[in-house]
């Protein structure tokens, strides 16, 4: 559904996105993870036709993002990283305006207000909305045209847990309905829960691309946390021969009270690959 | 271009501007000024001081004295008419021949002398007034010869005209002068503040990004903004003209000049908006932009020959110059003289449209 081949964008002398290539299947949630300034938003802007690539090419549903923008626009929805709503207008008026631009009726506006739980606050001005409400409205706006591909740029950043959970639930529902989702996020746990494929982006380059499970297996370190009879706690790496010997000795001496396995997280993998933490 | 989306953008912006106190002030300020000045100058604007000499009895004397809009001084000799004018007690003098009324009734073409102190337009206004009154009194189309002259000795006016060209503003009456001034102010303020705000706010708040990922393109956005900008310019202008008796003279030409100037200044506003990316910068530079836009309008009253070619040519490029001259002439009933102004404004609109489209599209490069 989404195809990028050596996609590159240079701003003056800065290479914001450097020969990025990936393929996203239909109905898949694709996680695009990286630090601030890694090139995530620039990539989204190129894929959605807002910015021309310096070189390389990308397509959505086999339509080139540069030469066939008019064909792409009706099939995409975008939730931006910023809350770009008309503050002096009501929630309903915001959606109605964009519904008119998409050529969809008021019925769809009502459906979406209901879906994101804002039907009873639809007449309120945006300036009195909370962050979570604004974010839900942005999701509703992006879904007005029933997009085949949804781009979500940091959709849960700065949200309370309830609102964030609501947005994750919406993403799952959309995936089940066959919508392809391109998701950028700082939250590794979120990516782990939602994505079928993730790409790690660092300084404009993809440094790893696979399923979350495969990345954790490939780059993660398997650990076990052991509680001994003297109440001391130890974290041992299962793949380390020294730690394996220590564990065997403690077990032989009957000193182990509890032992819990610890899976590697995507964050661990990212830190290992990028050399620094994500947040 | 998709007209539906362009009109959706226009409707959204039109209503949104009404909710924005700052933009509302921009729209209302010229209207407020016109009302204030209309009130302050109500006596000057509403009444005309006429000094009249009538050797016989004429019903014109009683007719004029009964008018609220005329302040009439009746004197006993033609010399006294000039004396009164020199003393600046009146702006127009009227000298009637003996048995004026009878001559009119008999259809004998009596000669009426009109003497103006400064502005020939004052004499023309008085002439229209007197002819209307004669028609009312006699009940038929008046047949009168009108001789118009300046208070200055013969030859002086011509010499002055040859050496020192007359200001354009002296060709129009005070009422028209104020209307032209406030209409120009209204359109320029809308063009340099309101219109760029409509675009810069979209860029600053990133709502333009959201619009442009829908099937809407830059041309739709541009047309939508032009429609709303022109609507606000027309609204301001028509209210100013309506409140100040400005829907007179050659109304069709007046409206055509106001419309084309509104489009041109709206496009200038969008060009400014296309080049500026945030509201802070716009607020800083907006007033600096307004001055060079208004100045040519004000200087349009100055005879071109006195300014020199270095100033004259750039002056005539700015739409406010043609707005002031075109509207001034139309209000004075000289609509057939504004074709050149209208043509220049139309050409400027086409050039500006292309420039604005370029400035908006450069964002995606």
């Amino acid at each position: 559904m989404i195809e990028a081949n050596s996609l590159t964008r240079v701003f003056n002398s800065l290479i914001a996105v450097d020969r990025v290539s990936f393929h996203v299947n239909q109905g898949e949630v694709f996680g695009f993870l990286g630090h601030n300034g890694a090139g995530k938003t620039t990539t989204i802007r190129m894929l959605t036709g807002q910015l021309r690539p310096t070189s390389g090419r990308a397509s959505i549903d086999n339509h080139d993002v540069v030469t066939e923008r008019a064909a792409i626009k009706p099939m995409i929805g975008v939730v931006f990283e910023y809350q770009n709503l008309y503050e002096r207008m009501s929630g309903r008026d915001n959606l109605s305006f964009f519904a008119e631009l998409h050529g969809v009726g008021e019925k769809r506006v009502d459906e979406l207000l209901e879906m994101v739980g804002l039907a009873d606050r639809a007449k309120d001005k945006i300036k009195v909305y909370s962050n979570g409400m604004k974010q839900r409205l942005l999701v509703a706006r992006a879904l007005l045209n029933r997009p085949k591909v949804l781009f979500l740029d940091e959709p849960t950043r700065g949200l309370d847990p309830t609102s964030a959970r609501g947005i994750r639930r919406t993403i799952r529902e959309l995936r089940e309905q066959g919508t392809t989702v391109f998701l950028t996020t700082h939250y590794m746990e979120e990516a782990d829960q939602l994505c079928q494929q993730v790409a790690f982006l660092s300084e404009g380059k993809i440094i790893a691309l696979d399923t979350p499970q495969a990345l954790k297996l490939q780059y993660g370190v398997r650990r076990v946390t052991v509680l001994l009879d003297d109440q001391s706690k130890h974290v041992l790496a299962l793949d380390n021969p020294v730690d394996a010997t220590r564990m065997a000795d403690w077990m032989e001496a009957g000193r182990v009270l509890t032992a819990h396995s610890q899976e590697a997280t995507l964050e661990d993998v990212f830190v290992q690959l990028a050399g620094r933490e994500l947040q | 271009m998709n007209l539906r989306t362009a009109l959706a953008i226009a409707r959204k912006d039109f209503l949104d501007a009404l909710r924005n106190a700052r933009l509302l002030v921009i729209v209302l300020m010229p209207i407020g000024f016109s009302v204030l000045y209309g009130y302050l100058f109500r006596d000057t604007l509403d009444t005309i001081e006429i000094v009249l000499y009538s050797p016989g009895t004429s019903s014109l004397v009683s007719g004029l004295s009964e008018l609220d809009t005329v302040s009439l001084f009746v004197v006993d000799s033609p010399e006294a008419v000039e004396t009164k004018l020199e003393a600046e007690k009146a702006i127009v003098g009227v000298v009637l021949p003996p048995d004026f009324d009878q001559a009119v009734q008999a259809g004998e073409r009596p000669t009426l002398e009109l003497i103006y102190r400064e502005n020939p337009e004052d004499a023309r206004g008085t002439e229209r007034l007197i002819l209307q009154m004669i028609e009312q009194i006699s009940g038929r189309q008046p047949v009168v010869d009108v001789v118009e002259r300046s208070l200055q000795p013969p030859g002086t006016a011509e010499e002055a005209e040859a050496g020192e060209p007359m200001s354009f503003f002296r060709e129009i009456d005070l009422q028209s002068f104020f209307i032209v001034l406030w209409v120009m102010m209204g359109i320029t303020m809308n063009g340099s503040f309101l219109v760029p705000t409509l675009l810069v706010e979209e860029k600053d708040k990133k709502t333009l990004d959201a619009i442009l990922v829908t099937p809407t393109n830059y041309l739709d956005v541009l047309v939508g903004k032009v429609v709303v900008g022109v609507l606000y310019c027309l609204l301001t202008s028509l209210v100013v003209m309506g409140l100040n008796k400005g829907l007179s003279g050659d109304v069709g030409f007046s409206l055509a000049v106001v419309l084309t100037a509104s489009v041109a200044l709206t496009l200038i506003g969008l060009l400014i908006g296309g080049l500026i990316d945030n509201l802070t910068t716009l607020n800083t530079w907006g007033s600096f932009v307004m001055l060079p836009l208004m100045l040519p309008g004000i200087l349009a009253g100055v005879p071109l020959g006195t300014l020199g070619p270095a100033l004259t040519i750039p002056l005539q490029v700015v739409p406010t110059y043609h707005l002031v001259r075109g509207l001034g002439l139309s209000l004075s009933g000289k609509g057939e003289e504004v074709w050149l102004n209208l043509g220049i404004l139309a050409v400027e609109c086409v050039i500006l449209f292309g420039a604005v489209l370029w400035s908006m599209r450069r964002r995606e490069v």
Side-chain angles (χ1 to χ4, degrees), chain B residues 100-359:
Chain B
F100 178 73
D101 288 11
Q102 290 87 331
V104 170
Q105 290 292 350
E108 290 174 3
R109 296 187 81 90
T111 302
L112 180 80
E113 190 181 8
L114 284 175
I115 310 159
Y116 59 89
R117 199 174 71 210
E118 286 176 352
N119 191 344
E121 198 56 37
D122 294 333
R124 281 161 217 155
T126 308
E127 181 187 334
R128 284 194 292 272
L129 190 71
I130 288 174
L131 293 178
Q132 274 172 16
M133 185 145 290
I134 296 169
E135 192 175 350
Q136 275 174 18
I137 295 166
S138 64
R140 61 174 164 168
Q141 195 78 23
V143 186
V144 177
D145 283 333
V146 178
V147 177
E148 183 189 293
R149 70 173 172 89
S150 167
L151 178 64
Q152 293 166 316
T156 316
E158 288 78 3
E159 280 166 24
E161 206 165 309
E164 197 180 306
M166 192 172 70
S167 160
F168 168 70
F169 289 139
R170 289 186 60 191
E171 292 178 37
I172 59 176
D173 59 44
L174 189 62
Q175 180 93 40
S176 301
F177 169 76
F178 276 128
I179 292 169
V180 168
L181 203 65
W182 300 128
V183 167
M184 181 199 67
M185 184 185 172
I187 296 179
T188 310
M189 284 182 74
N190 278 312
S192 55
F193 277 111
L194 184 140
V195 175
T197 303
L198 295 177
L199 185 58
V200 175
E201 194 174 22
E202 298 259 30
K203 290 201 278 183
D204 199 20
K205 309 280 182 196
K206 317 276 188 196
T207 44
L208 187 60
D209 293 345
I211 290 176
L212 291 172
V213 295
T214 69
T216 310
N217 61 30
Y218 281 104
L219 187 60
D220 302 334
V221 176
L222 173 57
V223 172
K225 305 276 176 195
V226 169
V227 168
V228 77
V230 170
L231 270 179
Y232 270 110
C233 287
L234 287 179
L235 187 73
T236 309
S237 306
L238 291 177
V239 172
V240 166
M241 290 167 78
L243 289 175
N244 295 281
K245 301 170 191 165
L247 295 168
S248 58
D250 287 328
V251 180
F253 280 104
S254 295
L255 295 179
V257 170
V258 168
L259 178 67
T260 44
S262 296
V263 175
L265 282 152
T266 296
L267 287 167
I268 288 178
L270 288 173
L271 187 61
I272 297 164
L275 298 171
I276 291 174
D277 285 334
N278 62 71
L279 286 170
T280 316
T281 313
L282 176 66
N283 292 337
T284 309
W285 289 101
S287 356
F288 290 105
V289 171
M290 202 169 75
L291 188 68
L293 283 178
M294 275 202 186
L295 201 61
I298 294 162
L299 289 177
V302 178
L304 285 179
T306 62
L307 293 172
L311 205 57
T312 305
I313 294 166
L315 198 72
Q316 292 183 81
V317 172
V318 183
T320 46
Y321 176 87
H322 300 284
L323 166 64
V324 165
R325 289 192 79 91
L327 185 59
L329 289 167
S330 304
L331 289 171
S332 305
K334 299 172 189 165
E336 68 282 357
E337 292 178 34
V338 307
W339 283 111
L340 180 65
N341 302 102
L342 273 173
I344 292 171
L345 283 170
V347 170
E348 285 180 340
C349 287
V350 174
I351 295 168
L352 284 164
F353 193 86
V356 176
L357 203 55
W358 163 81
S359 78

Side-chain angles (χ1 to χ4, degrees), chain B residues 17-85:
Chain B
L18 293 177
R19 298 186 195 105
N20 186 336
R22 186 173 161 271
L23 296 187
L24 214 52
V25 167
I26 292 168
V27 174
L28 295 177
M29 193 186 281
I31 297 171
F33 272 127
S34 80
V35 171
L36 180 70
Y37 272 73
Y39 177 75
L40 291 176
F41 287 86
R42 64 190 183 284
D43 294 336
T44 317
L45 293 174
D46 291 345
T47 60
I48 179 167
E49 295 98 6
I50 298 173
V51 54
L52 184 139
Y53 167 67
S54 173
T57 50
S58 170
S59 48
L60 203 57
V61 178
S62 54
L64 284 173
S65 63
E66 281 169 15
L67 288 177
D68 292 338
T69 53
V70 172
S71 178
L72 186 72
F73 304 97
V74 180
V75 292
D76 53 10
S77 69
E79 293 75 29
V81 170
E82 295 203 10
T83 311
K84 204 84 174 168
L85 286 171

Side-chain angles (χ1 to χ4, degrees), chain A residues 215-227:
Chain A
L215 284 171
K216 286 187 286 189
L217 285 173
Q218 190 179 348
Y219 297 102
V221 180
R222 297 183 304 137
R223 293 192 184 91
V224 67
T225 305
V226 182
L227 181 67

